C-alpha cells in the first residue's frame, strides 16, 4: 500500500511537471475493451451511430462485450477466471463474489488516481466512499438519484373520501383503513384494500416497503448508530415498533392478503384495477402507472395518481429513506491493464466518457435523431428506430455521472405529466435533506461476505412470519438471537472495528 | 457401419483360436482392436465431458477465488465440509431433503407402477392410447408453468382449488404459505407432472410378460387380481428393482426449480433443501468452494445409496443393476 501510494504520489508530482492536465504518463492505447450488461431485449449492434460517436469522444476504438443482465453475475466470474479479460468491466454491486476478487487483487485501487481526472474526480465523495470496500475504491461508481422513496396513492379515492395526502405514518394508517373500510370507489361493495405489498425478492435492507416503513420509524437504514456503536436496524426498539405497525396493517386487513406470495411483477395491477390504493416504492413507478393509465384512459388519466415523499415517523421527525446513490461501478481488472501507464490510458478514456458531451450521448442519444432539445429538457423522438432507442438504454450503462448528472432530463409528453415530474423532483430534493444514510455502507465485514445472505434471510423470514402470526414476539426475538449466534455478533464487531479504523 | 461389419467378421473369424486372455493383454488388444476402436469415441466423450470437469471439484478443498483460478487458490482441506456439518442449517436441510425424497419414493414411485398396471389392463387400444398420451403431456411442461398453475389454482381467496377445498372442509387454509401444506403440494405436483411419463418403462416391461402364463392361469381359474398379483408383478419385478435402485441415487436430488419456485418467507423452514442451498450459497453468495463441498457431499451420498440399494437387491435374490 505504501509503495503504491509512493508511486501514485510521484505520478502526481510528475504530472505537475509534465503540464499534462490529466497527470501521469499514459501508455498508447488504441483499443479499450469493455464488458457491460444490457437490459433490453437485444444487444446494440457493433456499428450503431451512438458507438461511432462515443468512439470519437473517447479517442480510441471501443470493443464492447454486451452481456444479458440476467446472466451478468455468472459471466463476470467466468470472465475473471479466464484469460480474455477486458480493460474495463461494469460491476453491478459489492456482492460477495466481487469483494473476494477485489481483495485477492483482481482490480486496480483507484483512490489515488481519480483526483487527477477532472471528469472522474467526484463531486459526491460520500457516495464514492459508500461504494468503496472499506475505503478502497475499486471502480468509478455509477451515480444514481440519491432519493427515490415515494408513496403513490389513488387520487380519486382520496377525493371521494375527502382525505388529505398522508404526511405521517399515522396518517398512512388512517388512509389505508379508510381505503379498506369506507368504500373509496363508491360501488357499494367491500372489495378494496389499502396497501399493496408484493413478495420481495431480496432480504432485509433491500428497499422493500417494510424496510422503508422501518426507516421512517427511526430504525435507521440497514445500520444505525446507538450509544456510539454501529448496530443493525433490526436490533433497535424502533424497528420492533415499525414491525408492529406493519403487523397491525396486515392484521386489520389493510394490506393485500397474499402479501407473502404476490408476484412483484404484477405490482401495478391491483392499483390500476381499483383493488388496492397505496404503493410504497420509488417515484418512477408513479410515472409508469401514469403512462399505463394514459394508454387505457387517455381522457381522464390525470385523475388517478397522487404522489408524496417520505413520511414522518411517530417521533414527529422525518427520517427519509435514501438510495445508496450508486449502482455498481466501472472496475479496471489488473490482468490486461498491467502497468500504471496503461491504467492512466484507460482512465483517460473513462474521463472522456464522462464529459458533458459524452453524458448527453450516453443518457439521451443523438440530438436530432433520438431527442430534440426544448430549453434544458430532452424531448424524445418517437419515430427514432427502435434499435437506436434500445441502444441508448444500453449505452447509458456505461455512464458514471460522478460529477453530477451529465445528460438532459426528459421532457414529459403532457403538461400534467410534466407537473407531476417537477413535483417529484421537488419532493426528492427536500426529502434528501432528511436522508437517513447507512453509516456502515462503506464497510465490508469478512463474516458478512461469507454468511451475509443467510443471516439476512433469518431476519427477513422472521419478520414476515411475525407479521403473518406464525411466530410471536418471542419468536421474533429468538430469530434475532439466532442471527447473533450464527455470525451476526461477529459482523457487528467487525463493522465497528472497520468504522473505528476508517475515521 | 463398414467398421462394425469388419469388427464382427474379425471376431467371428477368430473364434476358433484359444481364448485371448491366455495369450496376454497385447494379443487380446490385437485380436479385438476393431472393437476397441469402436469403443474409443464413447470413451473419449466420457473422459472429456464427464470425468474431465470433475477436476473442478477440487475447489471444494480450496478457497476458490475466480481471479486466482483453480490452481492458485489456496488449499483449505476439509474446512468447508466441517463448516457445513457444524452449521445449524445442516440438520434442517438433511431432514427436509430426506422427507421429500421418502415421500416421493413411498408415494410417487409406487403410484407409477399402479398406473402402469391399470393401463395394462385396459383392453380397448383407442382408450389406452388416448389415456397414455394425455398423461404424458404434463411431463413436457416446465416447472415454471407447473408452479404458475399451482399459484393460480391455490391463490388466496380466489383460486378454484382454494375455494373448493376450504369450502368443503369449512376451513381457511392458505396452501401456498402454510408450512404443513408445502410437502403435500410438492408431491402432488411431482405426481401430476411425472407419473404418466414414468409408466413408459413399466409398460415396456409389461409388454414382455409371457402371455401363455396368463392363459394357463385362466384355465386354472385365476381371477384378474390373482393374475396381476401372481404373474404380472413377479414378471416386472426386475424392472421395478432396477428403477428403485436408480431412484435411490437421485434421492438427494429433490429438483431445484420446483422447490425454488414454491418457496416463500412463510414456508422456507420446510422448503430449504440441499439443491436450493447450493444455489443460494454458490450463486447469490459467491461461495463457490462451500457450495461445491455441499454438492460433493450430496453426490457421495447418492453413490453410497445406489450401491447400498443394489447390494440389498442382490441379497434378496433379485437382479441388481451391477
Amino acid at each position: 500500500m505504501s509503495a503504491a501510494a509512493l508511486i501514485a504520489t510521484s505520478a502526481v508530482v510528475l504530472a505537475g511537471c509534465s503540464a499534462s492536465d490529466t497527470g501521469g504518463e499514459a501508455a498508447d492505447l488504441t483499443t479499450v475493451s469493455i464488458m457491460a450488461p444490457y437490459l433490453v431485449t437485444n444487444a446494440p449492434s457493433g456499428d450503431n451511430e451512438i458507438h461511432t460517436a462515443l468512439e470519437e469522444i473517447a479517442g480510441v476504438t471501443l470493443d464492447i462485450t454486451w452481456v444479458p443482465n440476467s446472466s451478468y453475475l455468472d459471466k463476470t466470474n467466468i470472465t475473471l477466471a479466464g484469460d480474455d479479460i477486458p480493460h474495463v468491466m461494469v460491476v453491478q454491486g459489492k456482492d460477495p463474489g466481487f469483494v473476494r476478487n477485489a481483495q485477492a487483487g483482481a482490480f486496480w485501487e483507484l483512490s489515488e488516481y481519480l483526483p487527477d481526472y477532472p471528469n472522474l474526480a467526484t463531486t459526491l465523495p460520500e457516495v464514492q466512499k459508500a461504494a468503496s470496500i472499506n475505503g478502497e475504491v475499486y471502480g468509478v461508481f455509477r451515480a444514481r438519484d440519491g432519493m427515490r422513496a415515494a408513496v403513490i396513492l389513488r387520487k380519486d379515492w382520496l377525493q371521494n373520501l375527502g382525505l388529505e395526502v398522508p404526511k405521517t405514518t399515522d396518517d398512512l394508517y388512517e388512509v389505508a383503513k379508510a381505503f379498506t373500510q369506507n368504500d373509496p370507489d363508491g360501488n357499494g361493495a367491500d372489495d378494496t384494500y389499502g396497501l399493496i405489498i408484493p413478495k420481495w425478492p431480496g432480504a432485509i435492507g433491500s428497499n422493500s416497503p417494510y424496510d422503508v416503513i422501518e426507516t421512517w420509524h427511526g430504525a435507521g437504514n440497514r445500520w444505525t448508530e446507538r450509544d456510539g456503536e454501529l448496530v443493525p436496524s433490526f436490533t433497535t426498539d424502533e424497528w420492533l415498533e415499525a414491525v408492529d405497525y406493519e403487523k397491525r396493517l396486515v392484521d386489520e386487513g389493510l394490506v393485500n392478503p397474499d402479501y407473502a406470495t404476490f408476484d412483484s411483477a404484477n405490482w401495478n395491477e391491483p392499483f390500476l384495477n381499483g383493488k388496492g390504493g397505496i404503493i410504497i416504492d420509488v417515484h418512477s413507478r408513479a410515472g409508469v402507472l401514469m403512462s399505463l393509465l394514459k394508454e387505457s384512459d387517455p381522457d381522464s388519466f390525470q385523475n388517478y395518481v397522487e404522489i408524496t415523499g417520505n413520511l414522518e415517523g411517530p417521533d414527529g421527525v422525518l427520517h427519509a429513506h435514501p438510495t445508496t446513490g450508486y449502482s455498481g461501478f466501472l472496475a479496471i481488472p489488473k490482468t490486461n491493464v498491467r502497468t500504471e501507464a496503461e491504467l492512466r490510458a484507460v482512465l483517460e478514456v473513462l474521463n472522456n466518457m464522462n464529459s458533458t458531451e459524452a453524458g448527453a450521448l450516453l443518457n439521451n442519444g443523438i440530438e436530432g435523431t433520438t431527442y430534440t432539445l426544448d430549453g434544458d429538457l430532452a424531448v424524445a423522438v418517437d419515430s427514432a428506430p427502435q434499435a437506436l432507442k434500445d441502444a441508448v438504454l444500453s449505452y447509458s450503462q456505461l455512464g458514471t455521472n460522478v460529477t453530477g448528472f451529465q445528460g438532459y432530463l426528459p421532457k414529459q409528453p403532457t403538461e400534467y405529466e410534466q407537473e407531476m415530474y417537477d413535483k417529484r423532483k421537488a419532493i426528492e430534493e427536500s426529502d434528501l435533506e432528511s436522508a437517513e444514510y447507512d453509516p456502515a455502507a462503506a464497510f465490508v465485514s469478512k463474516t458478512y461476505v461469507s454468511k451475509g445472505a443467510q443471516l439476512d434471510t433469518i431476519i427477513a423470514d422472521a419478520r414476515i412470519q411475525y407479521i403473518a402470526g406464525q411466530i410471536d414476539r418471542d419468536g421474533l426475538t429468538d430469530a434475532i438471537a439466532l442471527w447473533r449466534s450464527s455470525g451476526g455478533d461477529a459482523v457487528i464487531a467487525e463493522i465497528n472495528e472497520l468504522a473505528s479504523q476508517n475515521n | 457401419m463398414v467398421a462394425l461389419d469388419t469388427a464382427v467378421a474379425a471376431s467371428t473369424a477368430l473364434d476358433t483360436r484359444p481364448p485371448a486372455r491366455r495369450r496376454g493383454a497385447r494379443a487380446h488388444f490385437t485380436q479385438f482392436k476393431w472393437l476397441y476402436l469402436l469403443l474409443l469415441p464413447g470413451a473419449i466423450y466420457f473422459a472429456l465431458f464427464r470425468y474431465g470437469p470433475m477436476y473442478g471439484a477440487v475447489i471444494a478443498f480450496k478457497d476458490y477465488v475466480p481471479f486466482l483460478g483453480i490452481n492458485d487458490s489456496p488449499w483449505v482441506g476439509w474446512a468447508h465440509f466441517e463448516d457445513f456439518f457444524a452449521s445449524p442449517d445442516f440438520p434442517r436441510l438433511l431432514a427436509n431433503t430426506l422427507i421429500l425424497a421418502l415421500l416421493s419414493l413411498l408415494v410417487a414411485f409406487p403410484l407409477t407402477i399402479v398406473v402402469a398396471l391399470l393401463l395394462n389392463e385396459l383392453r380397448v387400444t383407442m382408450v389406452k392410447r388416448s389415456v397414455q398420451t394425455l398423461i404424458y403431456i404434463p411431463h413436457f411442461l416446465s416447472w415454471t408453468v407447473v408452479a404458475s398453475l399451482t399459484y393460480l389454482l391455490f391463490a388466496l381467496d380466489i383460486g378454484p382449488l382454494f375455494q373448493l377445498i376450504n369450502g368443503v372442509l369449512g376451513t381457511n387454509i392458505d396452501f401456498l404459505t402454510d408450512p404443513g401444506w408445502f410437502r403435500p403440494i410438492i408431491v402432488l405436483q411431482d405426481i401430476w407432472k411425472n407419473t404418466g411419463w414414468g409408466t413408459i418403462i413399466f409398460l415396456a416391461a409389461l409388454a414382455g410378460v409371457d402371455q401363455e402364463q396368463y392363459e394357463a392361469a385362466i384355465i386354472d381359474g385365476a381371477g384378474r387380481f390373482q393374475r396381476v398379483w401372481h404373474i404380472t408383478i413377479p414378471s416386472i419385478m426386475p424392472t421395478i428393482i432396477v428403477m428403485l435402485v436408480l431412484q435411490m441415487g437421485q434421492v438427494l436430488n429433490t429438483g431445484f426449480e420446483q422447490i425454488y419456485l414454491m418457496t416463500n418467507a412463510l414456508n422456507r423452514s420446510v422448503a430449504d433443501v440441499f439443491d436450493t442451498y447450493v444455489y443460494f450459497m454458490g450463486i447469490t453468495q459467491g461461495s463457490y468452494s462451500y457450495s461445491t463441498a455441499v454438492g460433493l457431499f450430496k453426490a457421495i451420498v447418492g453413490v453410497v445409496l445406489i450401491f447400498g440399494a443394489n447390494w440389498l437387491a442382490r441379497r434378496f435374490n433379485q437382479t441388481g443393476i451391477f
Side-chain angles (χ1 to χ4, degrees):
Chain A
M1 180 60 217
S2 62
L6 198 67
I7 293 165
T9 322
S10 55
V12 174
V13 175
L14 274 174
C17 303
S18 69
S20 151
D21 61 337
T22 49
E25 290 288 319
D28 226 9
L29 211 59
T30 51
T31 304
V32 168
S33 54
I34 303 178
M35 183 174 128
Y38 64 93
L39 284 73
V40 287
T41 329
N42 294 310
S45 62
D47 53 351
N48 65 78
E49 293 167 61
I50 296 173
H51 192 93
T52 320
L54 187 63
E55 282 184 334
E56 199 143 300
I57 297 171
V60 288
T61 308
L62 294 172
D63 173 15
I64 306 178
T65 308
W66 295 103
V67 178
N69 192 47
S70 53
S71 57
Y72 196 76
L73 188 63
D74 294 353
K75 180 73 178 172
T76 312
N77 283 316
I78 294 167
T79 305
L80 280 172
D83 298 323
D84 187 21
I85 301 182
H87 294 117
V88 178
M89 261 175 128
V90 173
V91 170
Q92 291 185 309
K94 284 196 285 181
D95 58 79
F98 173 73
V99 172
R100 279 171 220 260
N101 280 312
Q103 291 184 332
F107 303 101
W108 283 92
E109 207 278 314
L110 301 174
S111 42
E112 303 287 344
Y113 300 97
L114 294 179
D116 297 346
Y117 300 87
N119 298 336
L120 299 180
T122 184
T123 50
L124 307 158
E126 66 289 345
V127 180
Q128 177 158 308
K129 194 184 171 204
S132 75
I133 297 176
N134 305 325
E136 291 166 350
V137 178
Y138 286 106
V140 183
F141 69 91
R142 303 190 297 171
R144 292 290 183 269
D145 285 345
M147 182 58 68
R148 302 181 68 201
V151 182
I152 306 165
L153 305 108
R154 283 284 295 228
K155 193 178 179 180
D156 53 333
W157 289 11
L158 285 172
Q159 279 165 355
N160 290 349
L161 300 175
L163 292 166
E164 295 284 316
V165 174
K167 285 198 172 53
T168 68
T169 48
D170 287 341
D171 294 348
L172 180 72
Y173 168 78
E174 294 302 336
V175 171
K177 196 169 180 172
F179 276 7
T180 308
Q181 297 171 355
N182 297 355
D183 191 20
D185 53 4
N187 68 352
D190 178 17
D191 57 357
T192 56
Y193 52 84
L195 262 169
I196 312 164
I197 299 184
K199 172 185 178 181
W200 204 255
I204 43 160
S206 55
N207 305 316
S208 69
Y210 306 107
D211 297 318
V212 175
I213 289 174
E214 285 147 19
T215 302
W216 291 344
H217 276 75
N221 179 1
R222 296 189 65 107
W223 289 76
T224 182
E225 196 176 328
R226 293 291 139 102
D227 306 322
E229 203 196 2
L230 295 181
V231 295
S233 299
F234 55 81
T235 59
T236 65
D237 292 339
E238 289 88 345
W239 188 81
L240 289 174
E241 192 188 343
V243 175
D244 275 332
Y245 171 88
E246 292 155 5
K247 185 173 169 54
R248 185 153 51 107
L249 289 170
V250 168
D251 284 347
E252 295 183 19
L254 314 184
V255 174
N256 50 312
D258 55 352
Y259 59 92
T261 52
F262 178 58
D263 188 350
S264 58
N266 305 327
W267 204 352
N268 295 333
E269 280 166 26
F271 190 94
L272 298 172
N273 300 341
K275 282 188 184 155
I278 309 168
I279 290 178
I280 299 176
D281 191 34
V282 292
H283 277 289
S284 52
R285 184 171 295 277
V288 172
L289 287 167
M290 279 187 278
S291 39
L292 287 171
L293 284 162
K294 193 162 78 168
E295 272 171 35
S296 62
D297 188 2
D299 297 329
S300 58
F301 77 98
Q302 58 269 53
N303 300 335
Y304 299 114
V305 181
E306 181 62 279
I307 54 168
T308 185
N310 289 274
L311 304 179
E312 276 175 26
D315 56 356
V317 180
L318 180 63
H319 308 276
H321 186 87
T323 71
T324 53
Y326 71 98
S327 167
F329 15 75
L330 305 187
I332 305 174
K334 281 183 176 167
T335 320
N336 270 338
V337 183
R338 291 197 194 84
T339 63
E340 210 175 326
E342 284 173 345
L343 173 66
R344 293 230 172 241
V346 173
L347 285 174
E348 236 163 68
V349 170
L350 292 184
N351 186 57
N352 294 338
M353 282 169 55
N354 195 38
S355 60
T356 318
E357 201 188 354
L361 180 68
L362 293 174
N363 291 302
N364 305 98
I366 294 166
E367 190 177 355
T369 311
T370 62
Y371 72 99
T372 55
L373 273 185
D374 177 2
D376 274 346
L377 299 176
V379 183
V381 175
D382 281 338
S383 59
Q386 191 58 40
L388 206 57
K389 286 189 200 168
D390 287 350
V392 179
L393 291 174
S394 297
Y395 280 88
S396 68
Q397 293 294 317
L398 302 175
T400 53
N401 301 302
V402 289
T403 50
F405 184 64
Q406 296 293 333
Y408 300 105
L409 292 176
K411 184 172 168 65
Q412 303 301 315
T414 62
E415 207 172 297
Y416 163 70
E417 283 166 283
Q418 188 64 47
E419 208 175 282
M420 290 296 279
Y421 190 77
D422 294 341
K423 182 174 173 183
R424 159 189 169 176
K425 287 288 162 197
I427 293 172
E428 285 177 352
E429 199 176 320
S430 81
D431 275 357
L432 202 54
E433 288 162 23
S434 311
E436 191 84 34
Y437 289 106
D438 176 0
F443 308 133
V444 175
S445 114
K446 199 165 157 272
T447 309
Y448 191 80
V449 168
S450 65
K451 290 186 178 164
Q454 253 171 304
L455 290 172
D456 285 353
T457 310
I458 296 177
I459 304 296
D461 284 357
R463 175 169 66 188
I464 302 277
Q465 285 164 1
Y466 176 69
I467 291 171
Q470 273 189 8
I471 57 173
D472 58 10
R473 191 63 172 264
D474 288 340
L476 188 59
T477 331
D478 287 348
I480 296 170
L482 177 67
W483 179 87
R484 285 182 175 280
S485 63
S486 310
D489 276 334
V491 173
I492 295 182
E494 287 163 9
I495 290 285
N496 279 286
E497 203 187 320
L498 287 165
S500 65
Q501 284 166 4
N502 277 274
N503 282 333
Chain B
M1 214 48 227
V2 175
L4 183 68
D5 290 342
T6 328
V8 172
S11 61
T12 34
L14 294 170
D15 267 355
T16 48
R17 294 191 185 182
R21 61 177 176 284
R22 258 193 247 156
R23 291 179 296 117
R26 193 166 169 182
H28 170 84
F29 279 112
T30 324
Q31 185 184 359
F32 295 113
K33 58 176 182 271
W34 297 113
L35 288 178
Y36 278 103
L37 201 65
L38 276 177
L39 185 70
L40 208 59
I44 290 175
Y45 168 81
F46 271 92
L48 222 60
F49 296 108
R50 296 287 156 150
Y51 289 95
M54 280 190 201
Y55 168 68
V58 299
I59 66 169
F61 305 96
K62 290 189 155 207
D63 216 345
Y64 175 67
V65 178
F67 168 67
L68 296 177
I70 294 179
N71 291 329
D72 294 335
S73 294
W75 289 99
V76 294
W78 294 93
H80 296 302
F81 291 89
E82 284 163 17
D83 273 1
F84 178 51
F85 295 134
S87 94
D89 297 320
F90 179 70
R92 190 169 50 101
L93 292 168
L94 188 68
N96 288 343
T97 309
L98 285 180
I99 292 172
L100 277 175
L102 279 177
L103 281 176
S104 140
L105 214 56
L106 296 177
V107 182
F109 183 69
L111 202 67
T112 316
I113 300 167
V114 170
V115 173
L117 291 174
L118 290 174
L119 278 173
N120 193 47
E121 293 301 313
L122 284 175
R123 287 291 161 246
V124 185
T125 320
M126 257 303 279
V127 177
K128 188 175 167 183
R129 288 275 153 85
S130 321
V131 172
Q132 264 177 286
T133 310
L134 280 176
I135 62 177
Y136 290 168
I137 290 173
H139 173 78
F140 298 101
L141 299 178
S142 76
W143 276 119
T144 318
V145 175
V146 178
S148 308
L149 284 174
T150 313
Y151 273 92
L152 281 177
L153 290 172
F154 288 102
L156 190 67
D157 295 337
I158 50 170
L161 283 183
F162 175 92
Q163 290 175 332
L164 182 75
I165 301 175
N166 283 321
V168 170
L169 299 178
T171 49
N172 192 25
I173 303 164
D174 184 3
F175 299 95
L176 297 173
T177 58
D178 190 328
W181 280 93
F182 178 77
R183 287 170 186 141
I185 285 186
I186 291 289
V187 174
L188 281 173
Q189 284 182 328
D190 199 17
I191 289 173
W192 185 78
K193 182 165 151 65
N194 291 328
T195 303
W197 189 253
T199 58
I200 290 182
I201 198 146
F202 293 112
L203 286 171
L206 287 167
V209 178
D210 184 2
Q211 297 300 314
E212 284 179 22
Q213 292 189 22
Y214 289 115
E215 287 160 23
I218 292 170
I219 292 166
D220 287 346
R224 243 186 174 189
F225 284 101
Q226 282 170 313
R227 272 178 273 152
V228 168
W229 189 251
H230 293 290
I231 299 172
T232 316
I233 293 184
S235 305
I236 63 165
M237 209 50 178
T239 311
I240 296 179
I241 297 293
V242 167
M243 293 309 289
L244 193 67
V245 171
L246 289 176
Q247 182 102 350
M248 290 306 289
Q250 302 290 318
V251 153
L252 297 190
N253 294 350
T254 29
F256 164 75
E257 259 181 285
Q258 182 193 11
I259 293 180
Y260 181 75
L261 289 165
M262 298 307 297
T263 305
N264 56 55
L266 293 175
N267 63 19
R268 200 185 312 275
S269 56
V270 294
D272 261 351
V273 292
F274 288 124
D275 286 326
T276 52
Y277 188 71
V278 167
Y279 166 79
F280 195 55
M281 295 305 291
I283 305 296
T284 31
Q285 186 78 49
S287 303
Y288 298 102
S289 289
Y290 184 74
S291 53
T292 306
V294 178
L296 206 57
F297 163 75
K298 224 187 70 172
I300 290 167
V301 173
V303 170
V304 169
L305 284 174
I306 283 204
F307 276 98
N310 195 56
W311 178 79
L312 272 178
R314 293 173 75 114
R315 251 202 92 135
F316 289 101
N317 255 342
Q318 296 284 353
T319 1
I321 51 172
F322 34 72

